Amino acid sequence: MTDPHLDLAARAGVADERALLSAFADNYRAIFRAKVAGLSEADARRSPVRTGTSIGGLLKHLRWMEQAWFQRVLADEPNLPDRPAGEFFPTNEDTVESLLAEYDAQCEISRRIAAAHELSDTGVHHNLGEVTLRWIYVHVIEETARHAGQADIIREQLDGVTGPEI
């Protein structure tokens, strides 16, 4: 079964700016998710690279990245949990299923927040200062795409599986 988000970017070729940014964000979210499909618990934690980067760790990081940009920066929601110091490393309690569920839930929150704002609406980042939703979309697309590429290489090294083309 093909993920319905995987061709969103292609279908958004003549869409308005909001639809285009939203489609590309969802496209790369789906691409990353597809790279996790069928991954064993052991392989989700395994790292074939010196840095210790694993697909499970990248997935965990992407969940926190979504929260940081959409909830913390754009929506300025107080009382959010802090990003864990080891956000790139799954804990013993983390499973592929739980990490995917948390990521999916966080992406849905991001979508709702984005839908409630104009592209020119701003939030304040602690280092960058004021950033627009437009900027946040571009950054989230860039970061998710970069990590999807890393996941593709890691997955190929782990079990030879390559995912959808980026």
Side-chain angles (χ1 to χ4, degrees):
M1 181 172 154
T2 303
D3 189 307
H5 295 293
L6 291 179
D7 66 347
L8 285 175
R11 290 183 300 169
V14 294
D16 65 32
E17 185 180 16
R18 176 182 284 281
L20 180 69
L21 292 169
S22 177
F24 266 86
D26 280 342
N27 189 57
Y28 280 107
R29 288 168 177 147
I31 287 170
F32 191 91
R33 199 178 194 297
K35 293 181 185 309
V36 178
L39 195 63
S40 72
E41 295 296 331
D43 280 347
R45 289 172 161 58
R46 191 166 301 147
S47 173
V49 296
R50 283 184 302 140
T51 61
T53 303
S54 69
I55 293 177
L58 290 171
L59 179 58
K60 187 172 185 172
H61 164 70
L62 286 174
R63 173 259 190 261
W64 289 102
M65 182 271 302
E66 289 269 350
Q67 181 190 72
W69 287 109
F70 288 98
Q71 281 186 269
R72 196 174 296 278
V73 173
L74 184 61
D76 193 26
E77 291 184 13
N79 306 319
L80 290 173
D82 290 331
R83 289 169 86 156
E87 75 179 270
F88 275 96
F89 301 96
T91 65
N92 290 336
E93 293 79 33
D94 291 328
T95 65
V96 172
E97 183 179 336
S98 71
L99 291 171
L100 282 170
E102 290 171 10
Y103 180 61
D104 290 345
Q106 192 63 56
C107 289
E108 188 53 39
I109 291 168
S110 297
R111 286 183 198 96
R112 281 199 317 269
I113 291 170
H117 288 83
E118 297 298 322
L119 291 176
S120 58
D121 287 353
T122 61
V124 179
H125 184 268
H126 65 280
N127 287 333
L128 301 173
E130 203 171 41
V131 295
T132 64
L133 171 57
R134 180 181 290 103
W135 188 96
I136 290 169
Y137 262 129
V138 171
H139 178 69
V140 167
I141 292 163
E142 175 268 334
E143 186 151 350
T144 306
R146 180 167 37 101
H147 292 317
Q150 291 172 310
D152 195 37
I153 292 167
I154 291 169
R155 183 72 188 258
E156 186 174 1
Q157 290 177 338
L158 293 174
D159 61 10
V161 171
T162 57
E165 293 299 316
I166 296 177

